């Protein structure tokens, strides 16, 4: 008994020491990057920040875009987080929060990998996460939800593994909460619902997982429903965002590069087709804008399937 307790104590010490190593590596690398880039307290800002400013100014969740007020420009998660952080601090606090998300991602990856494949795998996973170039850059150079999104999506995968091992209401609710919360920071993560459900059905079996999947779907729906109802009241449609059509067009047009810039380096907004631009400039509805961009993107996709 004494030997077992000693071994458990040593294991805990080792675990916390490994997590401390992962955290120090992640923080030091970002501190050096911040110093070299001179970006401490001055990350690149996006529309999320403008929405947060409007919230703090009392205007609510709104973004002035294309000469009208967009009420569903993006998902609410990150602007709400920003509004809280900026109410009690400045962008140095935002950068610290983003760094913390990356450290927690590394610690979570360590825990899952160690429990699955051993300590070496855990250290490799944790250090790899905190040294991921994209996450290093975005966590200090941008005010951006990517670090938070990465952590939540990883936790969803971990929770799905836990649910597969131990089906039950509590674990199903956990997955549902994580997926629902993730959808409020990145709408495309709605795909995790069908993907997770199908994986659980095929890996465990529908007899054991049917009830857990039902709870998972209901929980995630309950998390997202207030936002959908708010949008139904504000823009007369239960949409997650009103820019998904434009984002689809950004990636599916003759000048698309896969990002916000066209192949020549200019912003994608300078390449809006005249027919689309005339509708956008004449209509005061963000939903009409969204549908017009979506129709143009789908037209291009059907005309250029390769």
């Amino acid at each position: 008994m004494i030997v077992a307790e000693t071994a458990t104590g040593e294991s805990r010490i080792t675990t916390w020491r490994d997590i401390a190593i992962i955290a120090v590596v992640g923080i030091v690398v970002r501190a050096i990057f911040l110093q070299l880039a001179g970006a401490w307290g001055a990350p690149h800002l996006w529309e999320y920040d403008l929405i947060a400013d409007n919230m703090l100014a009392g205007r609510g969740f709104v973004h002035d875009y294309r000469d009208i007020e967009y009420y569903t420009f993006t998902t609410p998660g990150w602007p709400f987080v920003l509004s809280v952080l900026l109410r009690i601090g400045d962008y140095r606090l935002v950068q610290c929060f983003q760094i913390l998300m990356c450290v927690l991602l590394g610690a979570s990856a360590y825990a899952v990998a160690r429990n699955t494949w051993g300590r070496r795998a855990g250290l490799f996973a944790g250090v790899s996460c905190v040294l991921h170039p994209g996450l290093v850059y975005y966590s200090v150079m941008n005010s951006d939800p990517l670090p938070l999104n990465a952590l939540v999506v990883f936790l969803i995968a971990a929770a799905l593994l836990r649910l597969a091992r131990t089906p039950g209401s509590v674990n199903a609710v956990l997955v549902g909460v994580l997926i629902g919360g993730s959808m409020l920071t990145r709408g495309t993560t709605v795909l995790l619902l069908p993907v997770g459900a199908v994986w659980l059905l095929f890996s465990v079996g529908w007899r054991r997982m049917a009830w857990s999947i039902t709870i998972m779907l209901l929980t995630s729906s309950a998390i997202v429903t207030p936002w959908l109802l708010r949008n139904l009241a504000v823009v007369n449609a239960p949409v997650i965002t009103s820019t998904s059509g434009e984002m689809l067009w950004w990636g599916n047009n003759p000048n698309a590069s896969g990002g916000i810039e066209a192949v020549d380096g200019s912003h994608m907004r300078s390449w809006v087709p005249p027919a689309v631009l005339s509708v956008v400039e004449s209509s005061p509805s963000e939903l009409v804008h969204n549908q017009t961009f979506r129709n143009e993107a789908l037209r291009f996709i059907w005309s250029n399937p390769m």
Side-chain angles (χ1 to χ4, degrees):
M1 179 66 71
I2 295 177
V3 173
E5 290 178 352
T6 301
T8 300
E10 291 177 352
S11 177
R12 289 176 180 173
I13 293 174
T14 301
T15 297
W16 285 111
R17 184 168 61 239
D18 291 344
I19 292 175
I21 291 172
I22 293 169
V24 168
V25 170
I27 293 171
V28 168
V29 167
R30 285 162 175 79
I32 294 173
F33 192 19
L34 274 171
Q35 183 66 29
L36 294 176
W40 179 234
H44 186 78
L45 307 184
W46 302 92
E47 291 86 353
Y48 309 108
D49 304 273
L50 299 177
I51 295 172
D53 287 342
N54 286 333
M55 294 172 65
L56 292 173
R59 290 185 60 194
F61 194 94
V62 61
H63 175 48
D64 300 304
Y65 184 58
R66 299 194 182 280
D67 297 324
I68 67 171
E69 291 182 332
Y70 269 60
Y71 291 93
T72 56
F73 182 88
T74 188
T75 48
W78 187 239
F80 272 93
V81 171
L82 278 175
S83 67
V84 173
L85 294 175
L86 294 176
R87 184 177 293 276
I88 60 179
D90 56 19
Y91 276 99
R92 290 173 294 184
L93 180 60
V94 173
Q95 289 169 309
C96 288
F97 178 83
Q98 294 177 167
I99 293 172
L100 175 62
M101 295 300 100
C102 292
V103 170
L104 291 176
L105 171 61
S108 301
Y110 166 82
V112 172
R114 174 168 179 166
N115 289 337
T116 307
W117 296 292
R119 184 186 175 213
R120 288 185 179 181
L123 281 170
F124 179 79
V127 172
S128 296
C129 281
V130 295
L131 292 182
H132 186 287
L135 287 175
V136 171
Y137 180 87
Y138 266 80
S139 62
V140 296
M141 296 299 293
N142 290 282
S143 168
D144 197 272
L146 179 62
L148 175 60
N149 289 335
L151 172 61
V152 175
V153 169
F154 180 85
L155 292 177
I156 290 170
L160 283 168
L161 289 172
R162 181 185 179 93
L163 179 59
R165 289 194 299 265
T166 312
S169 300
V170 174
N171 289 335
V173 167
L174 176 60
V175 175
V177 168
L178 287 170
I179 293 181
S182 181
M183 289 167 60
L184 293 179
T185 59
R186 183 75 70 178
T188 49
T189 53
V190 65
L191 296 173
L192 293 174
L193 277 173
V195 170
V198 170
W199 177 75
L200 288 170
L201 288 174
F202 278 91
S203 63
V204 182
W206 71 270
R207 291 181 181 276
R208 294 185 63 199
M209 297 309 305
W211 178 242
S212 293
I213 291 174
T214 300
I215 294 176
M216 181 181 77
L217 296 174
L218 290 175
T219 303
S220 59
S221 298
I223 297 293
V224 178
T225 294
W227 175 245
L228 299 179
L229 292 176
R230 176 263 186 189
N231 295 341
L232 179 62
V234 174
V235 299
N236 298 318
V239 296
I240 293 181
T241 73
S242 61
T243 53
S244 57
E246 184 171 353
M247 301 302 104
L248 181 66
W249 175 80
W250 281 12
N252 295 278
N253 68 76
N255 302 295
S257 66
I260 63 173
E261 295 181 346
V263 289
D264 66 353
S266 61
H267 198 287
M268 191 58 67
R269 291 169 187 160
S270 63
W271 290 96
V272 178
V276 174
L277 190 59
S278 65
V279 174
V280 169
E281 290 179 341
S282 62
S283 173
S285 170
E286 58 189 282
L287 296 180
V288 171
H289 297 185
N290 192 47
Q291 188 60 51
T292 304
F293 275 107
R294 179 179 287 109
N295 291 342
E296 177 64 19
L298 294 176
R299 184 199 64 77
F300 176 82
I301 292 170
W302 285 115
S303 301
N304 304 271
M306 294 303 294

